[in-house]
């Protein structure tokens, strides 16, 4: 694989850095609303040896600070429920993707089964972050809600998959 990817809600950068590790001739831009997470992601990129292939930018998905058609792919894991304006963010992602570009999203789902929720709570370490997990689950969307957001966006070619613990989206521009 080659090309440029955007990670929305990059947090400390681990997912994108692992993606860089498994690809060649690629570059990654991580975007996050937290200056602290941007600083951590930049440090992690140096530790991974990918400071030249990965850059981290402070910003909001609802107003992406990038030109039209810049990215071959965009992905986000675990941040959809945090987006301030889901439709606007999807339209911004569509705008910055090249024609033929791909979007991959995954997040928790609010209607996950109680045993699954309990298991996730139990295995979450350190235990001090368990309340944040529960808050995130309560804020998460159900698959039908995600489909409705996509139907209102500029994306026409998309699939939404309801998984046991979450929602996954594959969309193309």
């Amino acid at each position: 694989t080659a090309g440029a990817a955007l990670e929305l809600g990059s947090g400390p950068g681990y997912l994108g850095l692992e993606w860089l590790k498994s690809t060649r001739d690629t570059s990654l831009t991580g975007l996050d609303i937290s200056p602290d997470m941007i600083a951590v992601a930049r440090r992690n990129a140096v530790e991974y040896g990918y400071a030249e292939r990965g850059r981290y930018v402070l910003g909001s998905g609802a107003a992406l600070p990038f030109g039209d058609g810049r990215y071959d792919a965009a992905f986000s894991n675990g941040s959809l429920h945090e987006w301030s304006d889901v439709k606007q963010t999807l339209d911004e992602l569509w705008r910055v993707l090249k024609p033929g570009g791909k979007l991959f999203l995954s997040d928790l789902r609010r209607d996950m089964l109680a045993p699954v929720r309990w298991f996730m709570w139990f295995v979450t370490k350190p235990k001090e972050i368990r309340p944040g997990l529960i808050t995130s689950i309560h804020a998460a969307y159900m698959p039908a809600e995600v489909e409705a957001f996509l139907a209102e966006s500029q994306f026409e070619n998309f699939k939404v998959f309801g998984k046991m613990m979450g929602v996954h989206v594959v969309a193309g521009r």
Side-chain angles (χ1 to χ4, degrees):
T1 31
L6 169 64
E7 181 181 11
L8 187 60
S10 57
Y14 294 121
L15 179 63
L17 292 167
E18 288 295 323
W19 177 80
L20 283 174
K21 187 192 290 188
S22 66
T23 61
R24 294 178 185 213
D25 300 322
T26 57
S27 63
L28 173 75
T29 300
L31 182 110
D32 204 282
I33 61 170
S34 166
D36 293 337
M37 285 294 106
I38 293 295
V40 170
R42 287 176 178 156
R43 283 194 305 272
N44 288 336
V46 170
E47 287 181 22
Y48 267 71
Y50 294 129
E52 292 187 21
R53 288 176 57 201
R55 72 182 185 113
Y56 295 90
V57 177
L58 184 66
S60 166
L64 293 173
F66 312 114
D68 296 355
R70 178 170 179 171
Y71 295 99
D72 298 288
F75 59 93
S76 178
N77 178 53
S79 74
L80 175 63
H81 68 274
E82 302 279 352
W83 296 359
S84 61
D85 185 332
V86 175
K87 183 189 176 303
Q88 178 65 30
T89 301
L90 288 169
D91 286 343
E92 279 291 280
L93 288 165
W94 188 88
R95 180 185 64 76
V96 300
L97 283 172
K98 293 178 181 176
K102 299 291 183 196
L103 173 66
F104 306 93
L105 304 175
S106 62
D107 201 359
L108 299 167
R109 62 186 289 169
R110 187 172 65 247
D111 63 343
M112 77 174 64
L113 297 173
V116 175
R117 187 182 304 215
W118 181 87
F119 175 77
M120 289 182 69
W121 179 86
F122 183 75
V123 300
T124 297
K125 306 281 188 230
K127 66 182 179 179
E128 291 78 17
I129 66 172
R130 289 176 178 166
L133 169 68
I134 299 305
T135 299
S136 292
I137 292 170
H138 288 290
Y141 298 103
M142 295 183 289
E145 293 170 314
V146 175
E147 282 184 17
F149 286 130
L150 284 156
E152 293 177 9
S153 77
Q154 295 182 63
F155 285 97
E156 295 177 2
N157 180 19
F158 61 84
K159 291 185 180 180
V160 177
F161 303 92
K163 302 293 184 176
M164 189 180 333
M165 292 187 291
V167 178
H168 297 195
V169 173
V170 177
R173 181 174 191 293

